[in-house]
Amino acid sequence: MSNKAKRAGAVGFILVALLLAIVCVGSGGQRVVFEEIGEYVDGGMAVALRVVGDTVYLCEFDRGVVILDISDPANIVEIGQIRNTAQSRGIAIVDGIAYVSCNVNGLKLFDVSDPSTPIYLGSYGESNGDPHQFVPTGDVGYLTEWHGGFDVVDLSAPATPRRLGEYRTSGYAFSVEIAEDLAYVTMYSAGLVILNVSDPEHPVRIGGHNNGGETNALCVVRTTAYVCDKEQGLEIVDVTDPACPVLLGVFDAGDGTVGVRVVGDVAFVIHWERGLLAIDVSDPANPVEIGSTFDGGRPNGLWVEGDTIYVADGTDGLEILRFRVEE
């Protein structure tokens, strides 16, 4: 198929998605409408991303991290690449340092203060298997490992990160979010696990929730955890008491829910087979779909800034969409 035909097909999908968004109305009479404003396709397999100002750091499983200038979303330009980051699965950027999780190649640190010329700083060599997601907070970072569990990492010397503590489990550690002294970790077959990390050398499990299925991505907003279950959909969990999480509701999107970000009362969810969904979660017991868009691809990563959504969409690369909520 020619590029022109492919783009025409994509436009058709978007128009259908817009119509669907208009007829899907939430409990408050709201609907979400999406508009694609940019895309970048280079043949790689986009799986995760981070946005810093006008720059996108796009993890491509085969090529590694590609750095893009998105100041003009209609004309996205590649300005750099972080070498030796093949099989990258996650990236975090804080204070000009990029932390790249590369499956079998470990966690690597790069100076990206000049995005066009990344500089290698060091790597974390103590992981037990397949780093997945990393969250740095000051001189301490938190790493999930697909086959190794959960590590607390000393970042005080970027050239030589070292392990401070660890939590091991039979479940595959996938995502992590940090709130004060708590780490919310999804374990693929063990659900949501909540750890007290006030003593970084000795993380302690204080609570959890396992609804069955295969948990992966999550987003924690104040006292609510939004947990993606690849089999069961989006789970909404009250974590007011971390020792006793309570399931509030589930949005069943079908097999393939793999990412979530929450803006106000709307959860934006990516789904392997259905694309990008907008879910009204104002009533957690009765989440309602109020918009969607899909033009092919296989979305794996999601980022939201203001009214703009960035999707790492597999072989369809990077997609940038603007959304609006209508009454």
Side-chain angles (χ1 to χ4, degrees):
M1 180 183 292
S2 69
N3 288 337
K4 183 176 181 181
K6 182 179 179 181
R7 290 178 182 276
V11 170
F13 272 113
I14 293 170
L15 290 175
V16 170
L18 291 175
L19 290 173
L20 287 174
I22 290 174
V23 299
C24 298
V25 180
S27 59
Q30 294 180 328
R31 56 180 178 260
V32 172
V33 177
F34 299 98
E35 174 193 5
E36 183 173 299
I37 60 173
E39 64 176 351
Y40 178 84
V41 182
D42 65 357
M45 175 64 70
V47 296
L49 75 164
R50 282 296 181 271
V51 180
V52 180
D54 288 333
T55 305
V56 167
Y57 296 81
L58 184 67
C59 292
E60 296 186 336
F61 193 72
D62 41 4
R63 289 189 64 197
V65 178
V66 177
I67 305 175
L68 307 172
D69 179 347
I70 58 165
S71 55
D72 178 5
N75 183 32
I76 299 171
V77 178
E78 181 176 327
I79 58 174
Q81 184 177 2
I82 303 182
R83 304 294 178 183
N84 301 316
T85 54
Q87 298 191 43
S88 56
R89 296 290 306 186
I91 183 169
I93 300 171
V94 177
D95 296 332
I97 297 178
Y99 303 83
V100 185
S101 305
C102 305
N103 265 23
V104 298
N105 294 315
L107 174 69
K108 299 184 177 184
L109 284 65
F110 299 86
D111 181 341
V112 291
S113 52
D114 178 357
S116 66
T117 312
I119 300 171
Y120 175 74
L121 296 176
S123 62
Y124 175 65
E126 298 183 70
S127 63
N128 291 320
D130 297 350
H132 200 276
Q133 186 179 359
F134 186 70
V135 175
T137 60
D139 286 340
V140 178
Y142 305 88
L143 177 69
T144 60
E145 299 171 306
W146 187 238
H147 293 108
F150 172 80
D151 279 7
V152 184
V153 182
D154 181 355
L155 300 174
S156 57
T160 56
R162 65 181 184 88
R163 179 188 290 149
L164 289 174
E166 61 183 342
Y167 175 82
R168 293 290 165 251
T169 175
S170 58
Y172 300 112
F174 195 97
S175 290
V176 56
E177 289 211 2
I178 305 297
E180 297 181 346
D181 290 333
L182 299 178
Y184 298 85
V185 183
T186 53
M187 304 281 185
Y188 198 62
S189 57
L192 173 66
V193 174
I194 304 175
L195 306 174
N196 185 319
V197 292
S198 56
D199 177 358
E201 295 184 4
H202 302 97
V204 177
R205 186 185 189 277
I206 60 171
H209 171 77
N210 187 2
N211 202 38
E214 300 175 350
T215 54
N216 48 80
L218 85 159
C219 178
V220 180
V221 181
R222 295 182 293 278
T223 59
T224 305
Y226 300 85
V227 180
C228 292
D229 187 307
K230 191 164 70 70
E231 292 183 341
Q232 300 188 36
L234 179 68
E235 299 175 355
I236 306 173
V237 182
D238 183 348
V239 292
T240 303
D241 179 358
C244 299
V246 177
L247 181 65
L248 299 176
V250 178
F251 177 79
D252 183 3
D255 188 24
T257 303
V258 293
V260 58
R261 293 282 102 186
V262 179
V263 178
D265 288 330
V266 179
F268 293 98
V269 173
I270 50 173
H271 188 281
W272 276 348
E273 306 299 334
R274 298 188 58 202
L276 175 62
L277 313 177
I279 312 299
D280 181 348
V281 292
S282 57
D283 178 2
N286 297 287
V288 178
E289 182 177 329
I290 57 173
S292 67
T293 181
F294 184 49
D295 67 349
R298 191 177 178 87
N300 284 280
L302 176 68
W303 193 259
V304 181
E305 291 279 352
D307 64 351
T308 305
I309 298 176
Y310 305 83
V311 179
D313 197 17
T315 54
D316 273 14
L318 169 69
E319 295 187 354
I320 305 177
L321 305 103
R322 190 158 288 143
F323 73 90
R324 66 181 184 274
V325 179
E326 297 183 345
E327 298 294 335

